[in-house]
Amino acid sequence: MANALEYKDVAFSYGEGGFRMEHLNFSVAEGELVAVLGHNGSGKSTLARLANGLLTPDGGEISVFGTVLREKNLFDIRKQVGIVFQNPDSQAVASIVEDDVAFGAENVGLPRKEIGERIGYALRAVGMEEYRTATISRLSGGQKQRVAIAGVLALRPKIMILDEATAMLDPRGRREIAEVVKQLNEREGITVLLITHFMEEALLCSRAVVMNRGEIVMEDAPANIFRRGEELLTYQLALPRIGEIANRLRAGGMNVADALDVDTLAEEIAKCVS
Amino acid sequence: MLKDVSFGQYYPVRSFVHSLDPRLKILFLIGYIVAIFLAQELLALGICAAVLLFAILLARIPLGKVLRAVKGVLFLVLFTAAVNIFFHGGDKVYWDGPALLWEWKIFRVTQAGIMLSVFLVLRLFLLVIGSSLLTYTTTPVSLTDGIESLLTPLKWVRFPVHELALIMSIALRFIPILMDETERIMNAQKARGASLDSGGPAKRVKAIVPVLIPLLLSAFRRADELGDAMDARCYSGGKNRTKYKKLRFSWRDLLAFALLAALIAGIVVMYIFPVFPL
């Protein structure tokens, strides 16, 4: 079976002297939840924008469920690959929640009745159904991003890319989005590419890749990646403090499992001590 | 501070007028303005005023709020009225007594001048109150929808009606965001020691520059981001696009339309056959 998303030998650059990506090979299987980690300018957003034709590769090809992305099937690909961006304040087109969620569905020319149903479905999926007629500018950051996710969901995509969608949110907003992402993946079976520089979020995922200068430099289960703290530092990524403590404990001979929150680590330590 | 500026000053209550089709309300306002200027006698203007009062009561908007709309133009109206009273002249007699009531140097108060001023003041007040009733009872979004729908015939001459409506609705959507942003930048500049509200006019204008430039930059960046987000959601202009919200005429609209038709017909009849000719 074809991969949900496949980058084959992809090359891209923003012009002379700038960022370059060469021979990028990367694939995501259907139903996977993959984290893409990397510091600013590592090429992770470029990866997202290449996936639905917002950027065109200089070489190589990108395919979605086996269909190679071309100028002429751009529209069909965009229906399948949705992207949620970073800034909660510059993605909404309309002032009212339901009008904004309807935007994508209107663009592809769906009949009125179906648009209404899809708004209902999308808002339910992100837990915002009671905000259907609310004014977007009065919502919290996390709620705005959930509306943005709903706007993408209304197109019923098979793949959803979150391009640092939590970067501008407070911890609570980040938790809201993490919850929604997990549910989309588990319940709706949507393949998710979670691009982030918050290492904790990678723990939601079954697989994580680390990017640096347009290259994929690490690729493993998140727990394994977190064990290579020193290597991560060379890519300008710092482990969350708890992960670092866990690593040090291990180095000191205590066999704790991976933990990224205080409670789990405490339990692990308790287990080792008793 | 800036956040409190409510654009279009929509007054949110449920009422007959609020629930009317925005297209009808726009047409109603246009028709009403025509009627105001066709009204040539006090009785006709009185009827216009009565209809407006009726509409305000139906819209369940407090009278005080409606009258506040007049405050902005009060000076202009009174000034024009005063000029007319003192300089208009004319020999026409409207009631028993001399045509010329008072004269001093170049100032001449005549019956004709007073009548003209009364009409002017009444007309302008009705005009302003009528227009503000539209913005009080219609959300900016449905107002844009209404304008788009009314402009649809222009599509025949390839006028980009859909794009214009989208521009309007995006502009409305970004007003609160850019206001927030302005405030943030102003605070940031103040924190760096900029004094934005002291000094003479020239100094103040100069002080605005460091606020405007970052604001402009950020607006462009946002436009870029919004463009990407729209592209990602399959936007490709108005072609083959459907609309979720359809404007629909209901019996209420029919009723309101009948009222408007009756008003205009009545005013036109009175225009041709005056009841109390002046």
Side-chain angles (χ1 to χ4, degrees):
Chain A
M1 210 196 127
N3 277 316
L5 189 58
E6 184 150 5
Y7 296 74
K8 223 183 269 167
D9 215 19
V10 170
F12 180 83
S13 82
Y14 287 106
E16 283 299 304
F19 169 86
R20 306 184 73 79
M21 181 183 271
E22 276 165 351
H23 308 296
L24 181 92
N25 286 291
F26 175 53
S27 62
V28 182
E30 185 170 6
E32 239 188 325
L33 175 53
V34 181
V36 179
L37 303 166
H39 63 91
N40 287 338
S42 60
K44 49 195 201 310
S45 283
T46 309
L47 194 74
R49 275 150 210 261
L50 283 166
N52 78 344
L54 285 177
L55 295 175
T56 316
D58 300 334
E61 55 190 29
I62 292 155
S63 47
V64 175
F65 291 102
T67 311
V68 176
L69 179 58
R70 302 245 183 265
E71 185 80 35
K72 62 175 192 287
N73 61 17
L74 198 62
F75 232 63
D76 293 320
I77 298 284
R78 280 185 184 162
K79 276 190 226 171
Q80 295 182 51
V81 185
I83 303 188
V84 178
F85 296 91
Q86 183 176 15
N87 194 334
D89 279 326
S90 41
Q91 292 179 68
V93 183
S95 313
I96 306 290
V97 171
E98 64 172 350
D99 293 342
D100 186 63
V101 176
F103 181 73
E106 291 176 327
N107 286 338
V108 295
L110 290 172
R112 225 180 84 78
K113 196 165 155 262
E114 195 176 347
I115 298 177
E117 286 163 11
R118 286 196 179 193
I119 296 173
Y121 152 78
L123 287 177
R124 252 192 321 280
V126 299
M128 290 285 289
E129 61 264 64
E130 67 266 45
Y131 291 93
R132 190 165 173 149
T133 52
T135 306
I136 294 180
S137 57
R138 304 229 169 97
L139 300 176
S140 74
Q143 288 173 328
K144 283 178 192 165
Q145 284 301 63
R146 272 147 76 191
V147 171
I149 293 175
V152 170
L153 275 182
L155 283 158
R156 287 205 174 264
K158 293 189 185 133
I159 304 171
M160 165 102 64
I161 302 177
L162 288 100
D163 185 5
E164 298 217 50
T166 56
M168 293 174 78
L169 302 181
D170 55 9
R172 197 174 138 204
R174 288 212 293 275
R175 274 199 301 278
E176 284 172 26
I177 300 301
E179 194 52 44
V180 166
V181 166
K182 227 170 103 185
Q183 293 206 355
L184 288 181
N185 182 249
E186 282 167 12
R187 281 202 210 149
E188 316 290 335
I190 294 173
T191 309
V192 180
L193 203 59
L194 185 66
I195 296 174
T196 179
H197 62 249
F198 291 108
M199 306 285 281
E200 301 93 311
E201 286 172 8
L203 277 193
L204 293 169
C205 308
S206 50
R207 183 158 68 105
V209 297
V210 175
M211 290 194 74
N212 188 42
R213 296 191 188 172
E215 269 181 281
I216 290 179
V217 288
M218 292 167 91
E219 184 169 3
D220 210 334
N224 295 338
I225 283 184
F226 289 153
R227 288 184 186 225
R228 290 147 74 183
E230 307 251 309
E231 196 183 341
L232 280 173
L233 271 182
T234 61
Y235 304 128
Q236 298 174 45
L237 285 171
L239 272 186
R241 180 146 258 157
I242 298 291
E244 209 185 305
I245 294 173
N247 279 348
R248 286 198 192 171
L249 285 173
R250 268 194 293 268
M254 191 182 263
N255 194 21
V256 291
D258 284 289
L260 279 180
D261 62 275
V262 181
D263 292 340
T264 334
L265 186 64
E267 272 169 39
E268 283 298 322
I269 294 173
K271 255 190 258 168
C272 292
V273 173
S274 64
Chain B
M1 160 192 98
L2 286 169
K3 228 178 183 172
D4 299 331
V5 180
S6 59
F7 189 79
Q9 34 186 319
Y10 178 66
Y11 188 78
V13 286
R14 283 175 172 275
S15 82
F16 179 81
V17 182
H18 283 73
S19 66
L20 288 178
D21 190 309
R23 291 171 292 186
L24 188 84
K25 280 189 268 189
I26 296 167
L27 289 179
F28 211 121
L29 182 66
I30 296 171
Y32 186 73
I33 292 170
V34 172
I36 291 172
F37 284 94
L38 277 182
Q40 295 297 329
E41 50 185 316
L42 279 175
L43 179 66
L45 262 187
I47 291 171
C48 288
V51 167
L52 187 60
L53 190 68
F54 180 61
I56 293 170
L57 291 179
L58 269 184
R60 296 175 50 206
I61 291 172
L63 271 177
K65 197 151 177 73
V66 178
L67 290 178
R68 215 170 300 156
V70 176
K71 243 169 74 183
V73 290
L74 196 62
F75 173 76
L76 183 79
V77 172
L78 291 182
F79 179 76
T80 333
V83 169
N84 272 306
I85 287 180
F86 290 112
F87 296 104
H88 179 67
D91 321 314
K92 222 165 163 204
V93 179
Y94 293 91
W95 61 84
D96 291 337
L100 182 64
L101 299 170
W102 183 77
E103 194 176 19
W104 180 71
K105 292 195 176 161
I106 54 162
F107 300 106
R108 286 161 56 88
V109 176
T110 60
Q111 284 192 13
I114 289 176
M115 282 308 270
L116 187 79
S117 295
V118 168
F119 269 89
L120 186 97
V121 169
L122 284 177
R123 276 195 185 125
L124 285 178
F125 278 178
L126 291 180
L127 184 80
V128 171
I129 294 173
S131 331
S132 63
L133 191 60
L134 178 69
T135 52
Y136 277 136
T137 59
T138 320
T139 59
V141 178
S142 49
L143 210 55
T144 5
D145 279 352
I147 293 170
E148 176 175 12
S149 174
L150 286 175
L151 291 180
T152 307
L154 286 180
K155 277 186 185 158
W156 287 93
V157 290
R158 305 211 168 191
F159 184 81
V161 174
H162 158 74
E163 282 76 7
L164 186 76
L166 189 72
I167 289 169
M168 282 197 289
S169 75
I170 289 176
L172 289 171
R173 144 110 188 85
F174 274 85
I175 285 172
I177 293 174
L178 290 180
M179 288 216 171
D180 271 1
E181 190 111 331
T182 315
E183 203 171 345
R184 213 168 23 238
I185 296 170
M186 276 165 76
N187 286 338
Q189 305 288 24
K190 276 184 200 159
R192 287 167 179 75
S195 57
L196 296 175
D197 28 40
S198 63
K203 206 178 158 201
R204 278 195 203 193
V205 170
K206 249 186 176 164
I208 282 292
V209 174
V211 174
L212 274 187
I213 288 174
L215 187 65
L216 217 65
L217 275 175
S218 119
F220 277 117
R221 204 190 55 237
R222 276 180 199 283
D224 206 30
E225 288 169 359
L226 182 68
D228 275 351
M230 285 168 68
D231 263 342
R233 284 204 269 165
C234 300
Y235 182 70
S236 65
K239 244 192 282 168
N240 304 324
R241 199 167 185 275
T242 45
K243 273 202 92 106
Y244 171 54
K245 283 205 174 137
K246 276 244 166 65
L247 299 172
R248 265 206 206 118
F249 259 61
S250 65
W251 61 271
R252 297 156 182 274
D253 298 302
L254 217 64
L255 215 68
F257 189 73
L259 183 69
L260 170 71
L263 173 73
I264 293 183
I267 301 289
V268 169
V269 168
M270 289 174 79
Y271 180 69
I272 302 167
F273 308 106
V275 185
F276 303 109
L278 292 173

